Amino acid sequence: MQFTVAIDGPAAAGKGTISREVAAHFGFAHLDTGLLYRAVGHRTLEAGRGVIDPVMAEELAKRLSPDDLDETKLRTPMVARAASRVAAMPEVRKALVAFQKDFARRKGGAVLDGRDIGTVICPEAEVKLFVTASNTVRAERRFQELIAKGTDTTIEQVLSDLEARDARDSERDTAPLAQAADALLLDTTELSIDAAVAEAVACIQKRIEQGRP
Ligand code: C5P
């Protein structure tokens, strides 16, 4: 069975947790596509000793391997900034498209989360969700995550980083962050994670039943 769930939205809106839980519920494979851009950003920063060179970024995107996706190194504010800079480069995006498209249509079902899954990577996805939340709620969530990991930061810094990243992701020319016309909007500002997951599960279940003969 081929069945794709596309989950898009800005940073820290809850799409990662919702994607993981939904994938576990239905037994679908899950790809956090942000990790691909984070890995390219991280490797480009390392190779350029802090400087992001577009030619190098494209080369590294073409040669990305599963070993580069070790999450522990990639979940830092510096890597998030680098990710959104390389993500604005059309050549980098092009190098990562085929892998994501293949993953989306693999047998057994797939959940992909990112910024352009419902619009560019898999416009034919059976279910599309756009997960969002207010800027202050998203900043508070990300701040708590970073503090729990021992990162030295402030809520103001986190909010300003999120807003800068949202602006870069939404305003770029290639595959900007956008809600697909046929995506269901899930606003988690005042929704618990359990309630948001339950809503996503119900929506996917309904679509699976519609597809049954
Ligand atoms: O989702 P996450 O915060 O890990 O994504 C890091 C960055 O990768 C985003 O800010 C965005 O610039 C980029 N990205 C993207 N397209 C995707 C997933 C992530 O441009 N499908």
Side-chain angles (χ1 to χ4, degrees):
M1 165 187 91
Q2 281 183 335
F3 192 100
T4 311
V5 181
I7 305 189
D8 291 304
K15 59 185 191 315
T17 313
I18 294 171
S19 303
R20 274 192 302 278
E21 301 247 341
V22 153
H25 182 93
F26 290 100
F28 293 169
H30 172 222
L31 178 65
D32 171 355
T33 63
L35 276 186
L36 305 175
Y37 294 94
R38 283 176 184 259
V40 174
H42 180 247
R43 293 209 58 203
T44 309
L45 272 184
E46 268 190 346
R49 297 176 195 277
V51 175
I52 293 189
D53 171 46
V55 176
M56 196 179 275
E58 181 185 357
E59 274 314 302
L60 291 168
K62 284 180 180 162
R63 287 191 271 123
L64 205 63
S65 86
D67 291 345
D68 296 324
L69 303 180
D70 173 13
E71 281 199 48
T72 43
K73 282 184 291 183
L74 304 179
R75 298 270 175 224
T76 70
M78 192 173 74
V79 172
R81 273 193 297 276
S84 95
R85 288 182 55 200
V86 298
M89 299 170 183
E91 301 77 16
V92 168
R93 303 199 75 84
K94 196 171 157 209
L96 299 175
V97 163
F99 175 75
Q100 295 175 81
K101 280 185 183 283
D102 288 348
F103 192 98
R105 300 318 273 169
R106 78 210 314 261
K107 287 208 177 74
V111 179
L112 287 83
D113 71 281
R115 304 291 187 287
D116 63 338
I117 309 303
T119 49
V120 174
I121 299 297
C122 200
E124 69 280 21
E126 279 75 10
V127 174
K128 296 182 190 176
L129 302 176
F130 192 82
V131 183
T132 189
S134 73
N135 289 6
T136 44
V137 164
R138 291 189 295 119
E140 180 60 29
R141 287 181 191 155
R142 185 51 46 93
F143 177 66
Q144 294 301 341
E145 278 169 25
L146 291 169
I147 291 295
K149 284 195 291 188
T151 311
D152 182 21
T153 187
T154 61
I155 185 83
E156 291 77 18
Q157 180 62 52
V158 174
L159 179 61
S160 118
D161 274 356
L162 276 186
E163 287 176 346
R165 199 141 68 92
D166 285 353
R168 201 160 30 220
D169 291 349
S170 310
E171 288 162 18
R172 68 184 176 220
D173 292 333
T174 313
L177 165 66
Q179 180 178 352
D182 51 351
L184 177 80
L185 180 68
L186 204 52
D187 187 332
T188 67
T189 306
E190 292 179 11
L191 216 52
S192 71
I193 196 64
D194 287 351
V197 170
E199 219 171 290
V201 165
C203 163
I204 296 163
Q205 187 64 43
K206 194 168 150 204
R207 181 66 183 80
I208 290 174
E209 281 161 20
Q210 280 169 357
R212 289 209 175 110

